[in-house]
């Protein structure tokens, strides 16, 4: 090439972890270019010996000679890559190197590009100390998020989510945010970092920052993701209808049914013919072999297809910048007729009015439509879907288990609309002092429609058709105003001070319209007025939170750091004398690598010790608990008058273990805040310009004045009352690490991971040693989860089991009587008696004890990323170890086949018995540990400029939930939720995705 001849040079700019860098300036002589969202650039250079200069704020510049090349990839490295990044910590930001609290950061580019209806799900395994439990694979399902364990018995345990400075509410269903719109996520874990949010930060804070407007030529990006899913594991159901019928006959016979009335005898029962075992086997000379063998799994489940499209554009001038996007997400469920549709629109606008004043807005609109329900595929294979007349087949008038009938005839859908908007003004008085005022509003509306025909469900049958329309409306308004002072004095002292006040108002309205006893099912719930029986209920609740807050960050010589934070909150949820509470915190840090005695140890790019201590509060209960409340209850008064409604003091709740209704509603004017005191000791290590990083934290949290319902004397006319009573502790250890093993222009390899253990314990509950929680489980007539002093929250409580009874003498000797003492039944253990010694009887007062703990011993994950030139590969693993599961689905067909019989004296699984009354025991407790290959992605980036007008083309394939290694019950996912109970949840799919990103 002759001197002065021009040529096009293109490439990709990445950071030290191999991630594409957007907004990098590339210069060659008088030519300038900027990298796009995929880190790609294209520039014209003059001469073969020209050089490119790559620069970006906070990163070390890089000069690269062209040397006749047409493709040049670059890596911007240096300690600034991580340490000079600004971390959002609430009402401002701070450099990562200046953090004194425990804060974890996750880039939006690190979120897996996998189908997810809620951003919460994508956080699983990404941040140490953050537990994300996804117990259902149903479209639109949320997640349960915990930061450093549970801290409240009856109040909220979910962390606060703050999006672009707007406190949205509890984590768990963050469906309004499109993952493609996220710039970064910060998690504030200790009291020092979370105390700026006071009463709302007791369970930690998740800060979500969406992509902001950037000046420059308009940039358009299109992201698409297409996913095909399947069952990750086939349900453990009967594969052979003959074995199923044999088991049913045996269970009926052992349950006391006369031989002449066993189900499968080749006779008509309730108008339905039940074949005999011989007929099923083709051994009856007078009848042909039974031909029906319905595969309900293939009928109920499918291989669904999902789609995800995002179109984004940003650009503008130095004075006016904009960023907007639109997203359409459609997810089909594994079960037929299950679907979830979501539409999201976002607008971010920044306007510079003059040199001192700027303003902006951020608006998000979300619409969702969710249909369908969980369906069971466990119906007998012997029976068909339809009878000879084309109607849904029923084994009796009371058979409501046909899943195809439920899918086709039962209406169950919900629609939501969310509008979220923020308007802000910034006034910059000087270079070091500015003021910001922000007004945010959140409007949410949800409508649920239900209709159950009399012939399809039991509720429909007992009500001669059941229909309902449920409406939910929520409005939140938040106004925040604060001053920020940021100044350096004499190049030695650096001070950042934030102070302001906040006002938040929340109002929720609900209305529920129910109709029963319909003439026909034609209009379903669209004409509830045609129902003979109608029930209308509605509600209104409102609360207000006033706050004053302040934070001061001080740095001396850029190596001694101090943070002091305080927030005073006043809530209308509490009594007159307890509305206000103050939550202070303090933290210190020491950058040892900045000391002179470390100057000879050059491989430390960061060595920082941290310590923090502080208080946070919790007001996570519904309003009006300080007031006496009146309620209504419907009761049956006879065939002539039917149901009537009564009004009076108290609110009727659920039933207790004795089947009696629990009555609450007695106010307590002394209610006050829960308070969590915590301290954290941490160490941040960076080696070789942050090529290797390690973060260690030890924490201890102690929560007192627990908000909970306490059983009170029956003479009060009530059963329960809200009180401040009890203490809980959480202590644990967290480790996070990253290693950039290979870091070259064309080859990157990094590995990372995290590890977290938490020890949760109930310290006190007033005068109680044990309190039941959760739902009453009819199968065992008991609440499984209990709060017990000295034990973790949600501990399992029940009997010990010692195998299977092998003889009547064996059962009697164990202290069992009647049918429970027969061979083949579960052998429950006699633990104690009135005198503290075994007394020869099985008694619920003395023989029940702690039988399991759903809290994991530890949670861990590890990941690796590899890229070579334009090809990249990444994998993530996620694991949970040491948690127990109370498995209500334990007796699956594969285990029922192994049941106890006289010829097979099993000591693992009891005999078939359809009248057995199970006791809650450790017979149902199993190890829930697992390791999952969470995600595997391979991608390819095409050369920039390959297609005219297109700057970026990236294609990738991704697999999610590819393999799970566990000893848990075959056919079920071991991830069952915080309470540790396997209810037989909606299965989680295995997903195979193909994605495309195009930049213009």
């Amino acid at each position: 090439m002759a001197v002065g001849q021009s040529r096009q040079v293109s490439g990709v700019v990445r950071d030290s972890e191999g991630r594409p860098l957007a907004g990098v300036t590339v210069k060659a002589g008088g030519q300038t270019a900027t990298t796009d969202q995929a880190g790609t650039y294209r520039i014209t250079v003059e001469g073969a010996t020209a050089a490119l200069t790559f620069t970006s704020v906070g990163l070390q510049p890089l000069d690269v000679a062209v040397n006749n090349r047409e493709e040049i990839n670059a890596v911007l490295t240096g300690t600034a890559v991580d340490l000079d990044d600004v971390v959002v910590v609430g009402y401002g930001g701070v450099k990562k190197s200046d953090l004194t609290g425990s804060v974890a950061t996750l880039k939006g580019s690190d979120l897996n590009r996998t189908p997810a209806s809620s951003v919460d799900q994508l956080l699983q395994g990404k941040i140490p100390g953050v537990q994300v439990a996804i117990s259902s694979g149903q479209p639109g399902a949320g997640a349960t998020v915990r930061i450093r364990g549970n801290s409240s018995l009856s109040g909220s345990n979910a962390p606060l989510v703050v999006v672009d400075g707007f406190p949205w509410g509890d984590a768990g269903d963050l469906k309004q945010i499109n993952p493609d719109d996220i710039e970064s996520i910060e998690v504030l874990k200790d009291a020092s970092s979370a105390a700026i949010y006071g009463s709302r930060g007791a369970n930690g804070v998740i800060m979500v920052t969406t992509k902001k407007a950037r000046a420059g030529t308009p940039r358009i990006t299109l992201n698409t993701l297409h996913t095909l899913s399947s069952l990750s594991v086939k349900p453990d159901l009967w594969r052979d209808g003959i074995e199923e019928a044999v088991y049913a006959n045996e269970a009926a016979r052992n349950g006391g049914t006369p031989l002449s009335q066993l189900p499968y005898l080749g006779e008509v029962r309730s108008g339905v013919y039940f074949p005999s075992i011989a007929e099923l086997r083709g051994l009856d000379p007078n009848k042909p072999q039974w031909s029906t063998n319905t595969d309900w799994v293939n009928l109920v489940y499918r291989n669904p297809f999902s789609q995800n499209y995002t179109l984004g554009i940003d650009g503008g001038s130095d004075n006016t910048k904009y960023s907007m996007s639109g997203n359409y997400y459609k997810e089909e469920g594994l079960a037929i007729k299950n679907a979830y549709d979501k539409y999201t629109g976002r607008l971010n606008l920044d306007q510079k009015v003059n040199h001192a004043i700027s303003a902006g807005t951020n608006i998000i609109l979300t619409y969702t439509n969710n249909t369908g329900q969980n369906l069971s595929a466990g119906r007998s294979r012997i029976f068909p879907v339809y009878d000879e007349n084309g109607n849904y087949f029923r084994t009796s008038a009371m058979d409501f288990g046909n899943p195809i009938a439920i899918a086709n005839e039962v209406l169950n859908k919900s629609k939501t609309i969310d509008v979220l908007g923020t308007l802000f003004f910034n006034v910059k008085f000087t270079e070091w002092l500015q003021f910001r005022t922000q007004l945010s509003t959140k409007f949410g509306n949800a409508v649920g429609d239900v209709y159950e025909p009399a012939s399809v469900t039991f509720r429909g049958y007992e009500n001669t058709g059941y229909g309902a329309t449920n409406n939910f409306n929520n409005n939140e308004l938040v106004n925040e105003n604060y001053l920020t002072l940021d100044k350096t004095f004499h190049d030695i002292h650096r001070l950042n001070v934030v102070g302001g006040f906040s006002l938040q108002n929340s109002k929720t309205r609900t209305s529920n319209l129910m109709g029963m006893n319909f003439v026909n099912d034609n209009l379903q719930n669209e004409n509830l007025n045609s129902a003979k029986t109608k029930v209308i209920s509605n509600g209104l609740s409102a609360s207000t939170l006033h706050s004053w807050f302040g934070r001061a960050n001080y740095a001396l010589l850029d190596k001694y750091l101090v943070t002091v934070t305080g927030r005073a909150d006043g809530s209308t949820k509490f009594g007159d004398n307890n509305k206000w509470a103050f939550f202070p915190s303090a933290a210190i840090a020491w950058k040892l690598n900045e000391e002179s005695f470390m100057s000879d140890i050059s491989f430390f790019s960061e060595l920082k010790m941290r310590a923090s201590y502080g208080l946070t509060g919790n007001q996570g209960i519904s309003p009006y608990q300080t007031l006496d409340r009146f309620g209504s209850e419907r009761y049956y008064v006879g065939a002539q008058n039917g149901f009537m409604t009564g009004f009076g003091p108290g609110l009727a709740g659920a039933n207790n273990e004795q089947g009696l209704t629990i009555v609450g509603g007695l106010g307590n004017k002394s209610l006050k805040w829960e308070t969590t005191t915590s301290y954290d000791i941490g160490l941040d290590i960076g080696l070789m310009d942050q090529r290797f990083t390690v973060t260690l934290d030890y924490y201890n949290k102690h929560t007192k004045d627990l908000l909970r319902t306490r059983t009170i004397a029956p003479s009060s006319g009530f059963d329960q009352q809200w009180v401040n009573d009890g203490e809980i502790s959480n202590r644990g250890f967290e480790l996070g690490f990253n290693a950039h093993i290979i870091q070259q222009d064309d080859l990157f390899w990094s590995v990372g991971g995290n590890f977290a253990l938490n020890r949760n314990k109930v310290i006190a509950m007033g005068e109680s040693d044990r309190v039941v929680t959760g739902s009453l489980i009819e199968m065992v007539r008991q609440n499984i989860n209990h709060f017990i002093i000295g034990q973790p929250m949600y501990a399992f409580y029940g009997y010990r089991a010692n195998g299977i009874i092998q003889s009547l003498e064996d059962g009697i000797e164990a202290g069992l009587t009647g049918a429970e003492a027969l061979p083949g039944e579960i052998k429950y253990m006699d633990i104690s008696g009135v005198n503290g010694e075994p007394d020869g009887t099985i008694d619920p007062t003395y023989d029940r004890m702690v039988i399991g703990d759903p809290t994991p011993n530890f949670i861990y994950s590890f990941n690796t990323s590899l890229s070579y030139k334009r090809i990249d590969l990444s994998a993530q693993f996620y694991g949970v170890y040491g948690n127990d599961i109370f498995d209500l689905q334990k007796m699956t067909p594969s285990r029922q086949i192994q049941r106890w019989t006289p010829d097979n004296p099993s000591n693992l699984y009891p005999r078939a018995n359809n009248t057995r009354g199970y006791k809650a025991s450790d017979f149902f407790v199993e190890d829930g540990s697992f390791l999952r290959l969470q995600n595997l992605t391979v991608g390819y980036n095409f050369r920039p400029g390959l297609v005219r007008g297109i700057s970026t083309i990236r294609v990738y394939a991704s697999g999610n939930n590819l393999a799970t290694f566990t000893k848990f019950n075959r056919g079920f996912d071991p991830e069952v939720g915080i309470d540790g109970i396997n209810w037989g949840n909606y299965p989680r799919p295995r997903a195979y995705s193909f994605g495309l990103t195009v930049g213009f």
Side-chain angles (χ1 to χ4, degrees):
M1 184 179 72
V3 176
Q5 185 176 348
S6 63
R7 69 163 66 210
Q8 294 288 317
V9 176
S10 61
V12 179
V13 182
R14 295 185 174 92
D15 64 13
S16 60
E17 295 184 10
R19 297 179 299 208
L21 283 172
V24 176
T25 300
V26 185
K27 292 184 178 181
Q31 300 293 321
T32 301
T34 304
T35 59
D36 59 19
Q37 291 292 330
T40 61
Y41 72 93
R42 188 176 181 85
I43 193 171
T44 301
V45 301
E46 301 288 343
T49 59
L52 301 182
T53 300
F54 300 87
T55 58
S56 183
V57 176
L59 302 175
Q60 293 183 355
L62 178 68
D63 294 321
V64 179
V66 174
N67 293 333
N68 290 315
R69 291 180 291 177
E70 295 183 353
E71 179 177 347
I72 297 177
N73 299 321
V75 180
L76 299 188
T77 62
T79 60
V81 169
D82 287 322
L83 300 182
D84 285 344
D85 282 350
V86 175
V87 176
V88 178
V89 291
Y91 305 105
V94 61
K95 288 196 304 181
K96 185 176 181 181
S97 60
D98 290 343
L99 282 174
T100 56
S102 180
V103 179
T105 300
L106 180 68
K107 299 293 185 182
S109 56
D110 289 335
L111 295 174
N112 292 337
R113 291 298 179 256
T114 56
S117 57
S118 178
V119 173
D120 314 71
Q121 300 176 7
L122 300 179
L123 295 179
Q124 190 176 65
K126 296 293 187 181
I127 298 172
V130 178
Q131 180 183 5
V132 180
I134 308 170
S135 58
S136 174
Q138 188 166 8
T144 301
V145 184
R146 297 290 183 266
I147 297 177
R148 294 182 169 180
N150 293 293
S151 298
S152 181
L153 294 179
S154 300
S156 173
N157 278 295
L160 171 69
V161 173
V162 179
V163 180
D164 293 330
F166 179 14
W168 278 21
D170 289 351
D173 188 18
L174 197 58
K175 64 180 182 294
Q176 297 92 344
I177 299 295
N178 174 21
D180 286 331
D181 289 336
I182 293 178
E183 182 70 30
S184 68
I185 295 176
E186 276 84 18
V187 178
L188 317 183
K189 295 186 287 187
D190 69 330
S192 174
S193 55
I196 194 69
Y197 286 101
S199 65
R200 308 199 70 182
N203 303 310
V205 182
I206 299 176
M207 310 285 297
V208 178
T209 303
T210 60
K211 293 177 179 177
K212 301 304 178 187
R214 293 188 295 123
T217 304
R219 293 166 290 269
I220 302 174
T221 303
L222 173 65
N223 290 317
T224 70
L225 186 68
H226 303 270
T227 302
L228 183 65
S229 302
S230 63
L231 284 168
S232 58
V233 59
K234 203 163 186 178
D236 188 356
L237 302 172
W238 289 106
R239 303 286 188 260
D240 187 333
I242 300 173
E243 290 182 341
E244 182 181 8
V246 169
Y247 183 88
N249 274 358
E250 186 179 326
R253 185 173 65 250
N254 290 339
T257 301
L259 293 178
S260 61
Q261 297 179 21
L262 297 182
Y264 294 98
L265 295 177
E267 297 178 356
V268 176
R269 300 189 185 280
S270 302
V272 176
Y273 180 76
F274 285 71
S276 66
I277 304 299
E279 186 179 350
L280 290 170
R281 289 174 171 165
L283 301 177
D284 189 333
N286 300 316
K287 297 178 182 178
Q289 184 171 4
W290 189 260
S291 60
T292 302
N293 186 22
T294 306
D295 190 339
W296 292 102
V297 172
N298 286 338
L299 291 175
V300 169
Y301 297 112
R302 58 184 174 176
N303 293 327
F305 182 72
S306 301
Q307 308 168 66
N308 193 357
Y309 304 91
T310 298
L311 179 64
I313 179 171
D314 66 84
S317 63
D318 290 338
N319 291 330
T320 304
K321 296 175 286 186
Y322 62 87
S323 175
M324 51 186 167
S325 68
N327 171 256
Y328 171 62
Y329 174 74
K330 180 178 180 61
E331 180 183 2
E332 292 182 341
L334 285 172
I336 59 174
K337 300 298 180 74
N338 275 217
Y340 179 79
D341 295 88
K342 182 172 73 170
Y343 302 83
T344 305
R346 180 185 64 90
L347 171 64
N348 179 266
L349 182 65
D350 284 338
Q351 176 65 51
K352 185 177 181 181
V353 179
N354 55 42
H355 71 282
I357 301 175
S358 61
T361 186
N362 191 30
I363 301 173
I364 298 175
L365 306 175
T366 305
Y367 169 80
T368 69
N369 185 11
N370 198 353
T371 60
Q373 57 268 311
N374 196 356
L375 300 172
S376 172
R379 193 167 173 83
S380 174
R381 302 175 66 100
I382 293 170
F383 298 113
V385 178
Y386 304 97
D387 61 22
E388 61 275 10
N389 298 319
N391 299 316
Y392 293 110
F393 181 85
R394 303 172 69 180
T395 60
S396 68
M398 299 295 290
D399 175 15
F400 303 108
N402 190 324
I404 308 304
I406 294 173
N408 292 335
E409 306 300 330
V410 172
L411 173 68
N412 184 23
K413 67 179 181 180
S414 63
K415 297 180 180 180
T416 68
I417 296 176
D418 292 287
V419 182
L420 306 109
T422 296
L423 178 66
F424 66 86
F425 288 90
N426 279 341
V427 181
K428 193 171 185 179
F429 300 112
T430 67
E431 289 299 318
W432 49 269
L433 181 64
Q434 62 179 335
F435 171 77
R436 181 182 178 98
T437 181
Q438 178 171 300
L439 181 65
S440 302
T441 183
K442 177 182 178 183
F443 168 80
N445 181 259
V447 178
D449 291 295
V450 176
Y451 189 80
E452 300 179 16
S455 60
V456 179
T457 71
F458 179 75
R459 183 164 65 171
Y461 169 80
E462 67 175 352
N463 291 292
T464 318
Y466 173 87
T469 296
N470 305 309
N471 294 275
F472 173 88
N473 184 283
N474 174 256
N475 284 279
E476 292 195 19
L477 184 67
V478 182
N479 175 234
E480 296 183 306
N481 308 271
Y482 55 94
L483 282 166
T484 302
L485 181 152
D486 193 350
K487 190 173 179 61
T488 300
F489 302 90
H490 307 296
D491 294 326
I492 296 175
H493 310 278
R494 188 169 69 249
L495 182 65
N496 179 281
V497 179
V498 174
F501 65 91
S502 171
L503 172 64
Q504 178 166 346
N505 181 270
S506 178
K507 182 179 292 185
T508 300
R509 300 186 70 100
T510 60
S511 63
N512 304 287
L513 313 176
M514 290 180 288
M516 293 160 281
N517 200 342
F518 288 82
V519 176
N520 56 54
D521 303 324
N522 294 341
L523 297 178
Q524 297 186 320
N525 72 328
E526 294 299 332
N527 188 9
L528 294 176
N529 193 50
S530 65
K532 291 184 179 180
T533 304
K534 292 174 280 290
V535 179
I536 300 174
S537 63
N538 67 311
L540 169 66
S541 67
S543 63
T544 301
L545 183 70
H546 290 200
S547 306
W548 295 88
F549 56 87
R551 179 182 61 227
N553 290 314
Y554 171 72
L556 175 63
L557 299 172
D558 198 32
K559 54 186 175 182
Y560 309 112
L561 311 173
V562 178
T563 300
V564 179
T565 306
R567 179 163 176 141
D569 282 327
S571 174
T572 58
K573 293 183 179 181
F574 299 114
D576 292 339
N577 297 327
N578 297 307
K579 291 187 183 298
W580 284 89
F582 180 64
F583 305 103
S585 72
I588 58 174
W590 178 22
K591 298 181 184 179
L592 280 79
N593 58 298
E594 298 291 341
E595 295 288 357
S596 58
F597 60 78
M598 295 287 293
S599 59
D600 294 333
I601 311 177
S602 59
F603 60 83
F604 275 109
S605 51
E606 182 182 26
L607 183 59
K608 182 173 64 177
M609 297 177 62
R610 297 177 280 105
S612 68
Y613 177 86
L615 278 68
T616 52
N618 193 344
Q619 56 149 355
I621 59 173
S622 58
Y624 315 124
Q625 304 302 331
T626 60
L627 306 176
D628 295 336
R629 281 150 293 151
F630 279 67
S632 63
E633 183 72 5
R634 289 177 54 79
Y635 56 95
Y636 188 70
V637 295
Q640 183 175 359
N641 296 317
F643 286 89
M644 295 188 68
T645 302
F647 297 89
L651 298 174
N655 293 339
N656 60 18
E657 293 183 11
Q658 289 72 42
L660 302 177
T661 300
I662 299 172
V663 178
L666 180 63
N668 181 356
K669 296 184 182 300
S670 299
L671 281 183
K672 59 183 179 181
W673 305 81
E674 287 185 354
T675 302
T676 298
T677 303
S678 65
Y679 64 82
D680 181 286
I681 300 173
L683 178 64
D684 299 326
I685 302 173
L687 304 175
M688 302 171 61
D689 287 339
Q690 299 300 98
R691 190 167 178 175
F692 302 94
T693 61
V694 177
T695 299
L696 302 167
D697 278 277
Y698 172 80
Y699 63 87
N700 193 315
K701 297 167 53 180
H702 189 95
T703 306
K704 65 178 183 179
D705 296 327
L706 295 175
L707 290 163
R708 72 178 186 91
T709 54
R710 182 175 63 189
T711 301
I712 57 179
S715 59
S716 66
F718 297 84
D719 297 307
Q720 291 181 342
Q721 182 186 34
W722 279 90
V723 296
N724 289 100
D725 196 357
E727 300 178 32
I728 289 176
S729 72
N730 284 276
R731 56 185 177 86
F733 172 77
E734 298 167 357
L735 164 68
F737 70 92
N738 283 285
H740 309 143
I741 300 174
I742 300 177
Q743 188 174 289
Q744 300 176 359
D745 287 354
D746 292 327
L747 180 62
F748 300 86
W749 180 32
S750 67
V751 296
N754 60 70
F755 171 90
L757 62 84
N758 181 74
R759 297 294 177 261
N760 173 270
K761 184 187 293 187
V762 178
I763 304 298
M765 292 182 295
E767 299 177 357
S768 303
D769 293 330
R770 176 174 60 89
V771 174
V772 299
T773 186
S775 302
L776 178 71
I777 299 175
E778 290 292 338
M779 180 178 174
V780 294
R781 293 299 303 167
Q782 181 189 312
N783 294 63
I784 298 300
N785 297 119
H786 288 234
F787 298 142
I788 303 172
I789 292 179
Q791 298 293 328
M793 294 172 61
Y794 304 106
F796 303 150
Y797 189 76
Y799 297 90
R800 290 287 183 188
N802 187 21
I804 306 300
I805 298 171
Q806 301 299 323
S807 66
L808 180 59
E809 293 76 11
D810 187 19
I812 295 174
E813 183 180 347
L816 297 162
T817 59
E820 290 186 343
L822 295 177
E825 295 300 315
I826 299 173
K827 185 194 297 184
Y828 301 105
M829 296 178 63
D830 176 19
I831 302 297
S832 185
V834 177
N835 298 321
E837 298 291 337
D839 57 3
T841 61
I842 305 298
D843 185 275
T845 302
Y846 303 106
D847 295 321
R848 291 192 297 175
M849 59 187 302
V850 174
I851 57 174
D853 175 13
T855 306
N857 288 347
F858 57 84
I859 299 172
Y860 62 102
S861 71
F862 52 94
N863 61 79
T864 183
S865 297
L866 176 68
S867 64
Y868 176 68
K869 292 189 175 180
R870 301 190 179 279
I871 302 173
D872 56 79
L873 174 70
S874 64
Q876 182 191 4
F877 292 83
Y878 172 71
V880 174
Y881 180 80
N883 60 305
D884 293 322
I885 294 177
F886 195 88
D887 187 11
L888 295 175
Q889 313 299 318
K890 179 169 183 174
M891 290 307 295
T892 56
S894 66
R895 292 175 173 179
Q896 289 172 339
I897 290 175
Q898 304 174 59
R899 64 191 178 274
W900 183 96
T901 66
D903 297 329
N904 179 45
S906 169
N907 200 39
L908 295 176
Y909 306 113
R911 64 175 182 157
N913 184 350
N914 64 2
T915 60
R916 174 187 296 112
Y918 284 105
K919 295 181 185 295
S921 72
D922 60 358
F923 169 79
F924 294 99
V925 177
E926 297 197 16
D927 182 7
S929 304
F930 69 88
L931 173 63
R932 174 178 289 130
L933 174 53
Q934 190 96 324
N935 179 261
L936 181 65
T937 300
V938 59
Y940 182 80
N941 296 280
F942 287 90
R943 179 173 59 83
L946 183 65
V947 179
R948 178 184 290 269
I950 298 179
S951 60
T952 303
I953 302 177
R954 169 176 164 78
V955 295
Y956 61 95
S958 177
N960 202 51
N961 190 25
L962 294 178
T964 302
F965 308 94
T966 181
K967 296 180 180 179
F968 185 60
N969 194 347
R970 182 170 64 95
F972 294 93
D973 195 307
E975 192 168 357
V976 297
I978 296 295
D979 63 1
I981 300 176
N982 178 25
W983 301 89
N985 293 332
Y986 196 106
R988 180 184 301 188
R990 175 172 295 148
Y992 303 93
S993 303
F994 175 79
L996 171 67
T997 299
V998 180
F1000 301 90

